[in-house]
Amino acid sequence: MKKDVFYRQIFKLVLPIIIQNLLSAAVSSADVVMLNSVGQSSISAVSLAAQYSSVLFMVFYGLGTGATILCAQYYGKGDLHAIQIVEGIAMRFSILISLALACFAVFLPDGMMRIFTNDEELIRIGASYLRCMSVSYLCWGITEVYLAVLRSIGRVVVSTVMNVTAFSLNIFLNAVFIFGLFGAPKLGAMGVAIATSLSRLIELALCFGVSFASKDIKLDFRYLFVRNKTLFSDFIKLSLPALGNDISWSVAFSMYSVIIGHLGTDAVAANSFVLVVRNFGTILCFGMASAGGILLGNIIGENKLEEAREGARKLMKLTIITGAIGGLIILAATPFVLRYAALTDQAMHYLKYMLLINTYYVMGAAVNTTLIAGVFRAGGDSRFGFICDTIDMWCYAVPLGFIAAFALKLPVMWVYFLLCTDEFVKWPWVIKHYRSGKWLNNITRDDLFEENKA
């Protein structure tokens, strides 16, 4: 592949993904901006309750990764039937998991909130939020897998248009239900959940519309019941480590919120704003990781392994650039956020230094995400990331955070600083694995359906 062709193809993929991620971050920021006028307790409660959505997103991302790895390579090979079967396999898992979380949100929302905080007001607000969010979990379990499959075959524009529509509607409905516009009741934090659930329902309807018009990959529930032992085995081998990786990482990252949540509402409120700003700072580099993984998967499926190796090198150069840009975005946004945020003086102090720490933290996240979730997974290697992230988060970062906060009782900012060393600790092992080339594998098969019939 000529040098300029790779860059042209990756930017063709990355631009729609960036737009999609930008709108996703805009929804999160809209929640915080609008709830800012309702009160600090609403911001804090929604921020904590939303950790379950973050975990669920990582579950879907892990399942989508297994589907994307296989679908991208089989698309390079030209096997659309295999792609449909893989979609059905991924959908089985996503529907069961989203249904389970929805049941917890309906029947045990108070218990879910008590994991993060012992503040009764935050528990009350968060519980009502979780009950309303249960509908969105069910819709999300279907749409996320289907959109992941569409992206894996290069149809990123279609998935982006659907996401943009849903996200834009979500922001509009946020305003309607939070502030009581057009005669609607003022619902505060619960309004955020209602807006999200309605927008997810509409996004699901759009997926059915796209599926109906599609000539190749459809949202066909009959494939939930199609069995292919070889593809199922391959999906499990790829998805379980990826799913384990993403669940392990996201639950560990949620432990950061548990730690911060028990350090006081000022720390929680400050962190709520920081998460929004950091989401904007990581849009470009995370989009590059997603696009790079899709493109490299297509190339590997065509069995052009040396071309894929060279593509990975180019992707890393782009990652360094986008990581630096992400840090500059956070730095540039800091004075505006500090001027706007309606928080206590102590929370504002935390907010200022948390944002400064994140100006360099995004570089660590950019490199690791591109290699672990992009390059390695494109080559069928999801196991390394699972092992690396689990050791890093559960043997280093989470214990360090709990010791610093509750045993040593260090100041809030020292605890936060120590938590934000997690990405850099694993750099030596991640970069060494990248240079070894062990991640590069063509995992497609030529005799799929013959074996299945046998």
Side-chain angles (χ1 to χ4, degrees), residues 33-85:
V33 168
M34 294 178 191
L35 288 174
N36 188 49
S37 63
V38 177
Q40 184 169 303
S41 293
S42 291
I43 294 175
S44 300
V46 169
S47 174
L48 293 175
Q51 293 302 312
Y52 288 102
S53 294
S54 298
V55 172
L56 191 60
F57 170 77
M58 297 309 295
V59 171
F60 294 151
Y61 188 79
L63 291 172
T65 294
T68 299
I69 293 169
L70 284 166
C71 292
Q73 290 203 16
Y74 276 109
Y75 187 68
K77 191 180 181 67
D79 191 339
L80 297 180
H81 185 48
I83 293 173
Q84 286 279 191
I85 294 174

Side-chain angles (χ1 to χ4, degrees), residues 167-454:
F167 291 151
S168 301
L169 183 63
N170 195 351
I171 293 172
F172 171 73
L173 292 175
N174 272 346
V176 170
F177 291 113
I178 290 174
F179 303 123
L181 304 180
F182 309 112
K186 291 184 179 181
L187 298 174
M190 190 184 295
V192 175
I194 292 173
T196 302
S197 294
L198 285 174
S199 63
R200 290 288 180 196
L201 277 167
I202 292 170
E203 185 180 33
L204 178 59
L206 289 173
C207 284
F208 280 112
V210 168
S211 172
F212 181 77
S214 177
K215 295 180 180 179
D216 42 36
I217 304 302
K218 294 183 177 293
L219 182 55
D220 190 341
F221 290 114
R222 288 176 297 179
Y223 281 96
L224 287 168
F225 309 102
V226 173
R227 303 195 178 278
N228 184 293
K229 292 181 180 179
T230 304
L231 277 176
F232 184 81
S233 176
D234 287 346
F235 180 83
I236 293 297
K237 288 176 183 177
L238 294 170
S239 281
L240 280 186
L243 179 59
N245 185 180
D246 293 334
I247 292 176
S248 175
W249 184 90
S250 60
V251 172
F253 199 76
S254 292
M255 289 297 103
Y256 294 5
S257 294
V258 171
I259 294 167
I260 294 171
H262 286 81
L263 295 178
T265 57
D266 287 330
V268 173
N271 192 48
S272 301
F273 277 90
V274 171
L275 291 175
V276 170
V277 178
R278 182 162 66 195
N279 284 343
F280 279 103
T282 55
I283 283 170
L284 192 58
C285 45
F286 286 7
M288 194 63 68
S290 297
I294 292 168
L295 181 55
L296 290 176
N298 293 160
I299 296 170
I300 295 168
E302 296 172 8
N303 209 33
K304 300 176 181 177
L305 301 188
E306 282 307 311
E307 195 172 294
R309 195 187 305 273
E310 179 60 27
R313 282 195 287 268
K314 295 171 185 173
L315 182 61
M316 279 305 299
K317 293 177 183 177
L318 292 172
T319 299
I320 299 298
I321 296 170
T322 56
I325 292 172
L328 291 174
I329 289 172
I330 294 174
L331 187 62
T334 297
F336 297 99
V337 175
L338 293 175
R339 188 179 306 135
Y340 165 78
L343 304 178
T344 65
D345 290 342
Q346 186 63 61
M348 291 294 285
H349 172 75
Y350 294 153
L351 177 59
K352 177 182 177 180
Y353 289 101
M354 285 178 177
L355 287 170
L356 290 176
I357 287 172
N358 277 276
T359 59
Y360 65 82
Y361 182 77
V362 293
M363 179 62 78
V367 171
N368 288 326
T369 301
T370 296
L371 288 177
I372 292 175
V375 173
F376 297 167
R377 292 184 181 182
D381 182 2
S382 55
R383 184 171 174 268
F384 174 83
F386 172 51
I387 295 171
C388 181
D389 276 341
T390 299
I391 293 173
D392 174 56
M393 298 297 277
W394 290 103
C395 298
Y396 170 76
V398 172
L400 179 64
F402 274 101
I403 291 169
F406 305 121
L408 301 178
K409 299 188 184 299
L410 296 180
V412 170
M413 286 316 306
W414 273 106
V415 174
Y416 189 81
F417 169 76
L418 291 172
L419 288 173
C420 289
T421 60
D422 62 325
E423 294 288 354
F424 299 98
V425 167
K426 60 189 177 187
W427 262 19
W429 290 272
V430 173
I431 293 172
K432 180 182 178 182
H433 188 67
Y434 162 68
R435 289 176 175 170
S436 74
K438 294 178 181 178
W439 51 271
L440 186 55
N441 305 284
N442 184 342
I443 54 174
T444 61
R445 300 172 185 265
D446 295 318
D447 52 358
L448 273 176
F449 305 109
E450 287 80 358
E451 286 186 6
N452 192 52
K453 290 176 182 178

